[in-house]
Amino acid sequence: MNERPGDNPPAGNSAARQAFYDRIGTLSMAPLWESFHDLITPEPVTPCVPALWNYREVRPHLLESGGLISAQEAERRVLILENPALPGRASITHSLYAGLQLVLPGEVAPSHRHSQSALRLVIEGSGAYTSVNGERTLMEKGDFIITPPWSWHEHGNDTGDPVVWLDGLDIPLVRFFDASFVERYEEDSFPETRPVGDNVARYGSNMRPVGYEAVPARSPMFSYPYVRSREALERMRRTEEWDPHHGLKMEFVNPLDGGPAMTTISTFLQLLPKGFAALPYRATDGTVYTAIEGSGETVIGGETFAWSADDVFVVPAWAPHHHRAAEDAVLFSFSDRGVQRKLGLFREWKAEAPA
Ligand code: 1HN
């Protein structure tokens, strides 16, 4: 019997429906109603899981990679930190990538440029350099350094010790947009065109050279030395009340417009004083943390992750979490918050203090 339009179709007629789905599937069509409630969920749903990388455990493997491949051959000798729920996707959250990069004494990771933005958070070593468009920055523990999109960059280590840093990139975001380009410079090193640290001298003192024309969506600062940001936290703690969810938390900004220092990755530094126990918090931006100093633990969705200096951990989007500090601790973190804000998507939730 043929069904006519207007008749109430029988509910749950699964064989007929499946046959229909198969037929429209050959035309590259699919029934929305079968996936509707998975597409628009009442709350964020992420495949990502919380995870922690203990630096003491990871470091020997990173150093071992140094005996297997040179920075030159690898182009970048990095061990990717993969979200355990996203193996093979070069993703620590759904939108962001993280890895640990090793440059041994005497090595150069050759110059290239790509659409992806990168950040470096120096973990180990002192005095190696990264170069952005011909300007070197020396790398000290805790320094936060930006490689803006499509800028020539290379890394080198003229010191006697290995240098290790955490890389954060917007690789999954750029992949989502299918917008990736990369180019290798014809030589290993891009010519040095400016003195070391020039960007901090020019733009890092709340001034700018007269006549400077801002490039939209690009911070003229690409180096945020830890000594300076650490001092800001230390001085603020004397007068600032502790935020019950974040301790004392600052965002790195583009000094020209006060917006995020990077367009695709938001970056933060926070101080948690000894004994601090934060109230639970959740936000739509999955966040990667690394401890620069101190130790503590973060409870993420009911699971406790103990961390100390140099460990990296990830909090998935919308996962309730709270930090506790066993001693004064400084956390660097990054997420896609700035992108979500621009798109009108960002939301957060804060637990209220018990009465
Ligand atoms: C890259 O260019 C760097 O420049 C680090 O140090 C990690 C991961 C994927 C693609 C490019 C770097 C990267 C990367």
Side-chain angles (χ1 to χ4, degrees):
M1 189 187 77
N2 280 337
E3 285 164 22
R4 280 172 299 140
D7 285 353
N8 277 340
N13 188 352
S14 57
R17 287 181 187 175
Q18 192 54 55
F20 173 71
Y21 302 162
D22 292 346
R23 271 184 285 123
I24 65 172
T26 66
L27 299 171
S28 303
M29 297 193 292
L32 171 62
W33 58 87
E34 290 292 341
S35 56
F36 196 58
H37 298 288
D38 296 328
L39 296 174
I40 46 168
T41 58
E43 288 199 356
V45 173
T46 176
C48 299
V49 295
L52 179 141
W53 291 263
N54 177 289
Y55 189 65
R56 260 184 311 159
E57 190 181 0
V58 167
R59 186 178 184 277
H61 300 286
L62 188 58
L63 289 179
E64 187 183 346
S65 76
L68 294 173
I69 191 165
S70 67
Q72 181 76 33
E73 191 196 344
E75 196 159 329
R76 295 296 184 265
R77 189 203 291 110
V78 179
L79 298 185
I80 304 172
L81 306 181
E82 292 188 326
N83 192 286
L86 300 172
R89 299 285 301 158
S91 303
I92 190 162
T93 69
H94 230 162
S95 60
L96 296 172
Y97 159 105
L100 290 171
Q101 179 156 181
L102 169 69
V103 183
L104 290 171
E107 286 192 319
V108 172
S111 184
H112 68 194
R113 61 179 177 177
H114 41 67
S115 313
Q116 290 81 1
S117 305
L119 68 83
R120 332 281 170 192
L121 195 284
V122 182
I123 291 190
E124 177 178 335
S126 168
Y129 67 87
T130 186
S131 163
V132 173
N133 286 333
E135 179 182 331
R136 288 185 181 187
T137 294
L138 297 182
M139 304 175 98
E140 302 297 333
K141 183 172 170 60
D143 287 358
F144 158 53
I145 299 162
I146 297 170
T147 308
W150 208 244
S151 40
W152 294 110
H153 57 286
E154 71 210 49
H155 318 299
N157 183 355
D158 299 329
T159 78
D161 297 304
V163 60
V164 176
W165 64 80
L166 176 71
D167 282 318
L169 285 91
D170 52 9
I171 286 174
L173 261 181
V174 175
R175 179 170 56 205
F176 177 82
F177 290 117
D178 293 334
S180 172
F181 294 89
V182 65
E183 212 177 341
R184 248 311 277 279
Y185 193 65
E186 63 244 26
E187 289 161 48
D188 282 351
S189 284
F190 189 83
E192 265 190 89
T193 53
R194 278 182 297 278
V196 172
D198 191 56
N199 71 100
V200 182
R202 281 171 194 268
Y203 309 104
S205 299
N206 301 313
M207 295 190 282
R208 66 178 173 199
V210 167
Y212 175 78
E213 294 276 346
V215 180
R218 166 134 344 166
S219 174
M221 286 270 283
F222 62 87
S223 173
Y224 295 74
Y226 187 56
V227 282
R228 298 177 69 155
S229 29
R230 182 72 180 86
E231 195 202 349
L233 291 174
E234 203 53 41
R235 292 177 66 168
M236 280 177 69
R237 81 186 293 173
R238 299 179 202 156
T239 52
E240 192 70 16
E241 302 243 330
W242 299 103
D243 178 287
H245 302 87
H246 304 301
L248 185 46
K249 187 169 184 176
M250 306 277 277
E251 178 170 3
F252 291 95
V253 298
N254 173 345
L256 290 181
D257 63 10
M262 306 173 72
T263 53
T264 52
I265 311 180
S266 296
T267 50
F268 307 90
L269 192 71
Q270 80 196 92
L271 176 65
L272 304 171
K274 178 182 166 73
F276 185 77
L279 291 176
Y281 173 81
R282 59 177 17 180
T284 49
D285 56 334
T287 302
V288 181
Y289 286 89
T290 185
I292 302 177
E293 292 176 36
S295 62
E297 57 187 30
T298 300
V299 181
I300 311 170
E303 197 179 344
T304 301
F305 294 84
W307 43 261
S308 57
D310 308 328
D311 295 348
V312 179
F313 60 98
V314 58
V315 177
W318 210 237
H321 59 282
H322 56 276
H323 308 295
R324 295 194 199 111
E327 49 188 337
D328 275 12
V330 179
L331 297 175
F332 172 85
S333 58
F334 65 94
S335 79
D336 61 14
R337 177 169 303 200
V339 179
Q340 291 200 31
R341 277 198 200 281
K342 285 265 190 217
L343 300 179
L345 294 172
F346 178 71
R347 281 208 213 184
E348 61 186 347
W349 168 89
K350 298 174 184 183
E352 289 183 14

